[in-house]
Amino acid sequence: MGLSTIDIVVVAAYAVFIFVLAQWVSREKAGHQKDTSDYFLASKSLPWWAIGASLIAANISAEQIVGMAGSGYAIGLAIASYEWMAALTLLIVGKYFLPIFLRNEIYTMPQFLEQRYGPSIRTIMALFWLALYIFVNLTSIIWLGSIAVNQVAGVDQNIALFALGAFALLYQIKGGLKAVALTDIVQVTLLVAGGLLVSALTLSEIGGDAGILGGFSRLTQEVPGHFDMILSPDNPHYKQLPGLAVLIGGMWIANLSYWGFNQYIIQRALAAKSLPEAQKGIVFAAFLKLLMPLVIVVPGIAAVVLAPGLERPDQAYPTMLRLLPPGLLGLVFAALIAAIVASTASKINSIATIFTLDLYAKYKGVPTAAEDGEPARDERKLVFVGRVAASVAILIAMLTARPLIGQSDQAFQFIQEFSGFFTPGITVIFLLGLFWKRANEAGAIAAAVSSVVVSFLFYQFLPDFPFLNRMSVVFAISLALAVVLSLTVNARANSNLITMQGVSFRTTAGFNAGGVAVILILIALYATWW
């Protein structure tokens, strides 16, 4: 394929602009030394628009655009349930989880676990999340991103992989979360505009003189099976999306874990200037999630008609970019790069946050500004440690991306299934920790261990059992073990430091109105495509 001169100019202009903008928003007042609160929590001053945009930018990356479009090509619109049900999940997170987290001044998810259960599980889960973020999340983003760059621009895939990782690191290494979050409104605007443009052009190509609406109508007629939202057991893809599990089963476990207890997602809301501001950002993100299938999945479905017989489903989105004329191709390609860079930078920053605050600072016994509100004398060193951790993490991801992700047919589904080994236990630990006073560390550790062990046994001995259903079963087993052990093993004295005093689940009229609107839209969508 390759890029024209004007396309290269557009992409280069984007890269320079976003890099300069990130450095500009990261600047500090004269005489102020950046501390851990500044670097990892953006000084706890993020406005709603930055929170909402950054939530989506952290979430939507190569594994979403390339991977989910590939699943749209192979499975159809049913894959959009990950996006649409996420919108409802976000409302639950904003109403019920954030008031507790912000009231207790939580800055990392491992820190919450220590304050709720004790120090052991904080270390265990910090190590787990670091491994997951580096070897699953980072590798998948830069690998799928390098595929897109290779197919669209003709750049060698290894060069593309290292270039994407290096740019994302340099883009955020000075300013930390502030550099990421305050530039994500630009990234998301470019992402949505570029994605809608691809959808419009692909549908116009299919519709001919009938235009976009005619193209969509023809698409529903020619591949009607790709517009089934709830798959029946005889569908060849039922294993990936088993019927009603997307509405009342395992997808809830995946979504609650991802949106409510995932450091690189929830970190934006934890850095809000206030709870109402965080909740407004959550509603903004929920509306953007409703739009995402049009941006991501529709081009993948269109490729079934425009490019049948692709060797691999993950080639669908890059192939659709070939329809774009010079100039527009550069714009949409820049949008794809924006998504990759924004999400990679988010994960890099969260890895640095967990390593520095949950492992290094705790091991050294160093108080931090992020935790105590008062800068310690070692703050500059801690920020430096965070930058080193970020650099090492992306280097490891670059070196392991090909052997870990390179052989996967549908990378998005690979990520979901692998993460599903852990998400039932994580969801049990946090839900009990938030809403059941009797839960203790013994029960929490049992839930974490049983989640992995039972999931592995299912995977080995019942490989055809749908993984979303597997997560429901494993969740029930982990929950039962956690409850039994919490009731039979005495908790250590003063192990629960999480307070509910002053926590209110009342939300503003604006949040309530936005939530009702999201729910009504979801009902309409599922009623239409059931």
Side-chain angles (χ1 to χ4, degrees):
M1 192 173 174
L3 299 177
S4 67
T5 301
I6 185 63
D7 293 326
I8 295 172
V9 170
V10 170
V11 174
Y14 152 73
V16 171
F17 171 75
I18 203 67
F19 183 82
V20 171
L21 181 62
Q23 308 317 303
W24 184 75
V25 300
S26 302
R27 70 196 189 284
E28 296 291 343
K29 295 179 180 178
H32 178 73
Q33 176 185 318
K34 191 181 296 292
D35 60 32
T36 52
S37 178
D38 299 325
Y39 192 75
F40 299 116
L41 287 178
S43 306
K44 296 186 180 180
S45 63
L46 291 184
W48 68 268
W49 52 267
I51 294 166
S54 194
L55 281 168
I56 300 304
N59 168 237
I60 301 297
S61 185
E63 81 252 39
Q64 301 290 119
I65 298 176
V66 178
M68 189 171 277
S71 293
Y73 181 88
I75 300 173
L77 192 61
I79 198 68
S81 285
Y82 278 103
E83 301 299 296
W84 288 340
M85 295 308 293
L88 186 55
T89 306
L90 278 165
L91 299 179
I92 293 172
V93 171
K95 185 172 180 63
Y96 295 108
F97 299 173
L98 282 184
I100 301 174
F101 288 150
L102 292 179
R103 167 63 182 84
N104 287 275
E105 299 184 347
I106 300 301
Y107 56 88
T108 73
M109 292 299 95
Q111 178 218 359
F112 170 82
L113 295 178
E114 179 180 41
Q115 291 193 12
R116 179 59 184 82
Y117 294 114
S120 298
I121 196 165
R122 177 181 190 166
T123 302
I124 292 170
M125 296 306 296
L127 291 170
F128 155 73
W129 270 310
L130 287 177
L132 183 68
Y133 291 168
I134 294 172
F135 295 109
V136 177
N137 297 126
L138 272 185
T139 53
S140 63
I141 293 171
I142 59 177
W143 175 257
L144 289 173
S146 68
I147 290 176
V149 172
N150 171 258
Q151 294 190 6
V152 175
V155 177
D156 178 83
Q157 191 173 347
N158 289 324
I159 294 175
L161 187 148
F162 278 86
L164 289 170
F167 184 79
L169 175 67
L170 294 174
Y171 155 73
Q172 64 83 51
I173 197 168
K174 177 184 177 182
L177 183 61
K178 184 182 291 187
V180 175
L182 294 184
T183 57
D184 276 345
I185 191 68
V186 177
Q187 309 275 45
V188 167
T189 300
L190 189 57
L191 164 64
V192 172
L196 291 176
L197 184 60
V198 174
S199 292
L201 290 176
T202 54
L203 292 175
S204 295
E205 182 75 12
I206 294 172
D209 293 338
I212 295 173
L213 294 179
F216 188 79
S217 177
R218 181 185 166 194
L219 198 58
T220 60
Q221 294 170 11
E222 293 199 11
V223 286
H226 275 62
F227 288 88
D228 293 333
M229 284 300 302
I230 307 299
L231 303 185
S232 59
D234 60 350
N235 189 291
H237 300 289
Y238 183 80
K239 180 183 175 183
Q240 284 79 36
L241 294 165
L244 289 174
V246 302
L247 296 181
I248 57 175
M251 190 169 286
W252 275 107
I253 299 167
N255 275 335
L256 287 172
S257 175
Y258 183 88
W259 293 101
F261 315 128
N262 190 344
Q263 180 66 29
Y264 69 80
I265 294 296
I266 201 68
Q267 189 169 339
R268 283 106 188 90
L270 300 181
K273 60 175 65 175
S274 66
L275 175 59
E277 201 77 3
Q279 291 173 328
K280 283 193 290 184
I282 287 283
V283 173
F284 178 37
F287 277 105
L288 289 175
K289 290 302 285 182
L290 295 178
L291 189 62
M292 285 301 112
L294 185 58
V295 173
I296 299 170
V297 181
V298 169
I301 301 175
V304 178
V305 173
L306 295 175
L310 289 177
E311 182 180 347
R312 296 173 63 173
D314 286 341
Q315 294 174 346
Y317 195 86
T319 301
M320 290 301 92
L321 295 189
R322 297 175 184 173
L323 299 174
L324 301 176
L328 285 181
L329 174 59
L331 178 65
V332 174
F333 185 59
L336 180 59
I337 298 298
I340 297 166
V341 168
S343 191
T344 305
S346 295
K347 290 175 177 64
I348 290 172
N349 182 259
S350 293
I351 289 167
T353 302
I354 290 176
F355 179 84
T356 305
L357 302 184
D358 292 308
L359 294 179
Y360 183 85
K362 295 299 293 184
Y363 175 74
K364 293 290 188 179
V366 179
T368 68
E371 184 172 8
D372 296 340
E374 294 294 332
R377 54 188 175 86
D378 292 326
E379 288 288 297
R380 181 179 295 180
K381 181 178 180 180
L382 290 174
V383 171
F384 174 76
V385 168
R387 288 170 173 155
V388 172
S391 304
V392 172
I394 190 62
L395 179 61
I396 293 172
M398 291 173 181
L399 296 174
T400 58
R402 182 180 292 275
L404 290 177
I405 309 295
Q407 305 305 314
S408 176
D409 179 52
Q410 290 184 52
F412 182 77
Q413 288 297 327
F414 165 82
I415 296 162
Q416 301 306 317
E417 182 152 357
F418 184 85
S419 300
F421 278 46
F422 309 95
T423 48
I426 291 172
T427 307
V428 166
I429 291 169
F430 277 93
L431 288 181
L432 292 183
L434 288 167
F435 303 113
W436 190 44
K437 291 183 179 180
R438 287 290 300 273
N440 62 27
E441 190 171 37
I445 293 175
V449 173
S450 64
S451 178
V452 176
V453 172
V454 178
S455 295
F456 179 77
L457 292 175
F458 263 94
Y459 186 75
Q460 286 293 109
F461 298 106
L462 293 171
D464 294 327
F465 195 73
F467 80 90
L468 285 178
N469 291 345
R470 182 190 75 207
M471 282 202 293
S472 296
V473 175
V474 174
F475 175 83
I477 294 172
S478 298
L479 177 62
L481 283 172
V483 169
V484 169
L485 280 176
S486 294
L487 292 173
T488 55
V489 177
N490 292 328
R492 285 182 296 184
N494 301 319
S495 60
N496 183 5
L497 302 179
I498 296 297
T499 180
M500 297 295 288
Q501 185 177 357
V503 173
S504 172
F505 299 117
R506 292 177 61 88
T507 44
T508 65
F511 181 93
N512 296 337
V516 170
V518 168
I519 292 170
L520 292 176
I521 292 171
L522 285 172
I523 291 172
L525 287 170
Y526 278 95
T528 301
W529 301 111
W530 187 278

